[in-house]
Amino acid sequence: MGRLVYSACAKDCGLGAYVSIMAASISGYTFSSVCYHSANSNSDHEGFLLGEVRQEETLSISDSHIGSSELLNVIEVHNHEPCAQLFSFYDYAGNVNEENLNRILKDRRKNVIGWYRFRRNTQQQMSFREQVIHKQLTHILGIPDLVFLLFSFISTANSSTHALEYVLFRPNRNSYNQRISLSIPNLGNTSQQEYKVSSVPNTSKNYASVIKEHGTEFFDKDGVMKDIRAIFQVYSALQERVQAVCCEVDQSERVREKIQEEVNKLKEEIALRKRNSAEEERRLQEAAAVTLPDNSALPDSPHSSLTRVVLSGPSVEPSLERPVNSSSPPVYSTTLPPDSPSAILLPRPQAVGSPGHPSPSLGLGNGDGSSSDSLNRQAIGQEDPEDCDDDDEDSSEYENLVSEQSQAPSLTETVTLGRPATLWPDGDSPPGS
Amino acid sequence: MNSLSPEVALSRISPELRPLLCSVVRNGRVGLDSSSCLRITDLKSGCTSLMPGPCCDRFKLHIPYAGETLKWDIIFNAKDPELPPDFIFGEDADFLPEPSELPHLVSWDAGKPECLLQLVKELLQQYHQYQCQRLRDSSRLLFEYGSLLEDPNYGRSMEIYAGRKNSWTGEFSARFLLRLPVDFSNIPVYLLKDTALDPGEDVALLSVSFEDAEATQVFPKLYLSPSIEHALGGSSALHIPAFPSGGCLIDYVPQVCQLLTNKVQYVIQGYHKRREYIAAFLSHFGMGVVEYDAVGFTKLTLLLMWKDFCFLVHVDLPLYFPRDQPTLTFQSIYHFTSSGQLYSQVQKSYPYSPRWDGNEMAKRPHLIAGEQSLS
């Protein structure tokens, strides 16, 4: 259905302007049907227009004014009811006979929105009798905005050209010449304008019967297309799965958080033990330094556990610099290889260029598994003499770190001076050991 | 707009509708200006182009009214000739007559040829009421109308056309057309017979146009039927006074009416006086009368003799005799001029008085004739 718009009035042109507009439209098939009935009549022809009137209100806000409200009254012509002959519902004086009117309209009286007339070779102006009838129809049908559609068929003298003109009138109290332009949707150059879908319900009985017969293949009992319902079900299933995955993620995150807390706790314990072991070692070394001149001929005493240095002891503490996806054992493993010979009390093996004394303190990392930069420097071997203490402390963080429970210090191995210990990550035994 | 002769119009009309239009085009005189017939133009058909002619059933009717010409569309249906017509009142879109006050519409009888003409007259009556109501836009003009309406001489024979209000200037104009109650029945018949067309009823119409609502621009005009105009000596013979500034129609119209009445009286009186004059000459110059106008009594020719000298005397009596002096023409029966015409001499200056009776007037030329014959 096309829309034809005419502006009735603007109640206020200032702030909050209110504009009432009326639109009227007729579908192509209704229009052509009316024309067909009219053109085939050998005299003037008339009938009634059936349809509906609805209202649409549009509120627009722009920078120029606060807001304006536009009320659109839409008259849509769905169908027409032609009269079999002239004067079928009125007399010579134009008095409408309501009984005859009801006989023509039957149960469609409530759908009447206007009436039409077809006249050949006359002016596009409401005639005397049409005005009289219109006034009465407005009153009898109770339609204040009853419209009148006038068709005029103009032919040239030699009948070579015929023009069908139509005008929609909206007669009011003051003037019977108020006209509304009638638009027919899709009657034009559709290549340049959008093809408009009619919003008018199809009143065809044949269409209704076909849909009823074959509709079950496409529609469910509620009149909704089945495909739509299936799509909606898929959507619902996806939504459920997404919700489930969210729950799983939530749980795994909680587990991870808990494990992370345990790891951090263990790190703190390790650091504490390291500090303690370094302290103990220092005391032992001090004590050994006091008793060292008596026992100097005995370079290798199997019972001197204080001077023995554990060599090639694998690191019992995993390096926090190690990438997660390496082939190393699991990160959270707290067990140490059984043949780890490293001892807490022995001085730590020196790296190349190291000053030679172990780091008494066991500095931990950042607590989240990341290592400090000093560890990296120590591993490479480039040491700043001024920072060697700190570096040693930091570099010894992951060296010779052995759990007391899991490892017993070995006193039988001797120190091979000058050869730095080979540290293997993850407490792995060195090759060949 | 092609104006069709009645015969052409009737030939194109659908046969079933022809009697109705026949009475309109042949006898259709409506309103004050009954000298003009109703005209029909723009004959069209409401049938399909495949319908063989003649099948015209709708046309435009031109109706003279208050100096204007109304153009109403009348719409029949040739397929249903028994049905009454519909009307479109041209530019007067606001004119909506009351159907119940149109008896010939309510009881339309297509079998009566005069039904359409009567219906048009009833519509005109309502149209007149419609125009009078439009005068309410101007209190001044409404007063003019009301004052004329109260006078029985003019109230019943008045047509008013209220013009459109000028949307720019807000001016409102109107035209009053009144039939003057002058008696033309005593005008000699001979004065009325020399018209090309059947004059119809003798009527004098006074048109007064108000170009503004305050009556500062008023233009009167007198319309006479052709016979009356001829009888009174043509359009130049009669001049009406200008509308006085600040004057009213109720004062002006009787003034014009009286002027016209006096003019008519002059004409009538002149006829009788001429007849009396001729009769006196016949009495005095009995055997000497050669010929005289026995209808209009405007000419008289005498053959007189003075001492064996015979001559002709032609007497021409003017229209406004005895106010205007008759002309005497003496003509010799012996002598010719160089152009071969009989020698004649016109004599206008002779003793004359309009107060003389016919006998006295007949005596005076008797003496003059003798002197002229000697000369």
Side-chain angles (χ1 to χ4, degrees), chain A residues 44-276:
Chain A
D44 295 348
H45 175 71
E46 60 196 8
F48 293 92
L49 299 174
L50 309 175
E52 65 177 7
V53 180
R54 54 188 175 85
Q55 286 188 341
E56 295 176 359
E57 185 170 3
T58 305
L59 181 63
S60 61
I61 302 174
S62 66
D63 294 337
S64 59
H65 50 80
I66 294 178
S68 65
S69 177
E70 184 179 279
L71 183 65
L72 181 67
N73 294 315
V74 181
I75 295 178
E76 294 185 345
V77 181
H78 297 176
N79 210 335
H80 73 107
E81 182 67 48
C83 295
Q85 56 191 8
L86 298 173
F87 289 85
S88 58
F89 61 95
Y90 52 90
D91 59 11
Y92 290 170
N95 297 317
V96 175
N97 188 316
E98 192 166 354
E99 191 179 323
N100 292 342
L101 186 69
N102 291 331
R103 187 165 49 244
I104 295 172
L105 295 174
K106 299 183 184 65
D107 57 342
R108 303 212 274 182
R109 173 171 167 160
K110 58 183 182 306
N111 296 328
V112 173
I113 57 165
W115 65 300
Y116 70 90
R117 206 140 192 279
F118 170 83
R119 315 192 229 109
R120 287 190 178 86
N121 297 314
T122 56
Q123 292 188 53
Q124 286 184 315
Q125 192 175 338
M126 286 189 79
S127 70
F128 160 53
R129 186 172 295 121
E130 287 161 3
Q131 294 181 46
V132 172
I133 292 172
H134 189 90
K135 197 183 285 186
Q136 295 185 56
L137 283 177
T138 301
H139 175 70
I140 292 173
L141 296 173
I143 304 171
D145 279 334
L146 191 73
V147 295
F148 173 70
L149 179 58
L150 175 64
F151 287 93
S152 301
F153 204 80
I154 312 295
S155 302
T156 53
N158 56 0
S159 299
S160 62
T161 306
H162 306 276
L164 177 68
E165 299 173 348
Y166 53 94
V167 179
L168 187 67
F169 290 92
R170 184 186 179 236
N172 54 22
R173 294 179 203 169
N174 298 327
S175 168
Y176 274 85
N177 281 334
Q178 193 173 32
R179 305 179 177 198
I180 312 172
S181 59
L182 184 65
S183 72
I184 306 169
N186 305 319
L187 184 69
N189 189 358
T190 52
S191 62
Q192 294 182 2
Q193 45 180 282
E194 187 180 329
Y195 191 83
K196 295 177 184 173
V197 178
S198 172
S199 62
V200 177
N202 197 321
T203 57
S204 167
K205 291 180 183 176
N206 289 326
Y207 174 81
S209 66
V210 168
I211 291 298
K212 188 179 179 183
E213 181 182 345
H214 298 281
T216 52
E217 299 176 14
F218 305 95
F219 299 94
D220 59 12
K221 58 179 176 55
D222 297 328
V224 182
M225 285 192 72
K226 292 180 178 177
D227 292 339
I228 294 176
R229 202 174 282 280
I231 292 171
F232 190 77
Q233 287 174 355
V234 169
Y235 161 76
S236 300
L238 286 172
Q239 279 290 100
E240 288 175 5
R241 297 300 167 80
V242 167
Q243 292 294 333
V245 167
C246 289
C247 294
E248 289 176 3
V249 168
D250 179 56
Q251 288 176 4
S252 66
E253 282 293 310
R254 290 183 191 281
V255 168
R256 188 199 69 81
E257 188 180 349
K258 190 175 178 184
I259 292 173
Q260 185 67 42
E261 287 178 5
E262 292 179 3
V263 165
N264 293 339
K265 200 173 178 183
L266 289 172
K267 285 182 182 176
E268 288 176 4
E269 288 181 7
I270 291 170
L272 181 63
R273 288 181 187 175
K274 195 173 179 181
R275 281 198 300 272
N276 293 338

Side-chain angles (χ1 to χ4, degrees), chain A residues 201-413:
Chain A
N202 197 321
T203 57
S204 167
K205 291 180 183 176
N206 289 326
Y207 174 81
S209 66
V210 168
I211 291 298
K212 188 179 179 183
E213 181 182 345
H214 298 281
T216 52
E217 299 176 14
F218 305 95
F219 299 94
D220 59 12
K221 58 179 176 55
D222 297 328
V224 182
M225 285 192 72
K226 292 180 178 177
D227 292 339
I228 294 176
R229 202 174 282 280
I231 292 171
F232 190 77
Q233 287 174 355
V234 169
Y235 161 76
S236 300
L238 286 172
Q239 279 290 100
E240 288 175 5
R241 297 300 167 80
V242 167
Q243 292 294 333
V245 167
C246 289
C247 294
E248 289 176 3
V249 168
D250 179 56
Q251 288 176 4
S252 66
E253 282 293 310
R254 290 183 191 281
V255 168
R256 188 199 69 81
E257 188 180 349
K258 190 175 178 184
I259 292 173
Q260 185 67 42
E261 287 178 5
E262 292 179 3
V263 165
N264 293 339
K265 200 173 178 183
L266 289 172
K267 285 182 182 176
E268 288 176 4
E269 288 181 7
I270 291 170
L272 181 63
R273 288 181 187 175
K274 195 173 179 181
R275 281 198 300 272
N276 293 338
S277 66
E279 184 66 25
E280 188 67 24
E281 191 175 334
R282 185 179 63 78
R283 284 200 297 270
L284 289 176
Q285 284 180 356
E286 288 174 355
V290 172
T291 58
L292 189 58
D294 296 332
N295 295 326
S296 61
L298 298 175
D300 297 315
S301 172
H303 300 290
S304 175
S305 62
L306 296 178
T307 60
R308 302 282 162 72
V309 178
V310 175
L311 298 177
S312 70
S315 170
V316 297
E317 197 62 31
S319 169
L320 296 179
E321 301 174 63
R322 185 179 62 253
V324 177
N325 57 353
S326 64
S327 59
S328 58
V331 176
Y332 299 126
S333 173
T334 58
T335 58
L336 298 173
D339 53 351
S340 170
S342 59
I344 297 175
L345 300 179
L346 295 177
R348 73 174 181 91
Q350 298 177 8
V352 175
S354 67
H357 49 83
S359 169
S361 64
L362 296 174
L364 294 177
N366 296 332
D368 57 353
S370 63
S371 59
S372 61
D373 292 340
S374 60
L375 285 172
N376 291 332
R377 292 200 297 277
Q378 288 296 336
I380 293 172
Q382 298 295 328
E383 290 184 354
D384 185 353
E386 297 180 354
D387 297 330
C388 64
D389 290 346
D390 294 334
D391 292 340
D392 286 344
E393 291 179 1
D394 293 335
S395 63
S396 62
E397 191 171 315
Y398 298 106
E399 297 175 1
N400 301 327
L401 296 177
V402 178
S403 171
E404 287 183 358
Q405 294 86 5
S406 61
Q407 194 172 70
S410 171
L411 303 178
T412 57
E413 295 184 16

